[in-house]
Amino acid sequence: ADIKIPYEGPEVTVSVFGLGSDVEGRMQLLINQEIAKRLGNVNLDINLASIQEYDQKLSLMYNSGDLYDITNVRQRTQRFERR
C-alpha cells in the first residue's frame, strides 16, 4: 500500500530511544514539532538517556522485551589509560 506524506490516517505513535542530554532533549522537542508538521498524523515518542544511564536502560529494555520501534545503539568504545 502506498503511504502519502503528510500522513492523514489514524494517529500513529513511533517510539524512539537514544543517547542524549537535556540540551539535546530540548532541541529534539523542536525537531519533533517540525517533523510532526511534515509527517502529518505521526506522533514521535522520543526517550533520551544520559551517558551515565544509557547502558543500564538499554540492557533493561532488551532483557524485558519491551522494545522501542527505533533504537539508536551507540558503539561501545574501550578506554585505554596510560600507566
Side-chain angles (χ1 to χ4, degrees):
D2 291 332
I3 298 175
K4 296 180 181 179
I5 301 294
Y7 174 68
E8 296 176 352
E11 183 177 87
V12 174
T13 298
V14 177
S15 62
V16 181
F17 175 78
L19 180 64
S21 67
D22 288 341
V23 172
E24 290 169 325
R26 288 190 293 273
M27 296 227 4
Q28 192 62 53
L29 180 61
L30 295 173
I31 292 168
N32 288 352
Q33 289 170 349
E34 187 60 32
I35 289 172
K37 286 182 205 173
R38 295 173 188 230
L39 287 181
N41 207 13
V42 177
N43 178 35
L44 295 177
D45 178 21
I46 296 183
N47 297 281
L48 300 176
S50 69
I51 189 88
Q52 294 84 6
E53 61 186 6
Y54 177 86
D55 289 333
Q56 181 181 5
K57 286 189 173 190
L58 187 64
S59 178
L60 179 62
M61 178 181 62
Y62 281 127
N63 289 324
S64 71
D66 188 20
L67 304 175
Y68 289 85
D69 297 314
I70 300 171
T71 301
N72 180 8
V73 180
R74 69 183 177 103
Q75 181 179 358
R76 298 190 124 218
T77 57
Q78 187 173 5
R79 296 178 74 181
F80 294 95
E81 295 181 18
R82 285 183 171 224
R83 294 185 188 254

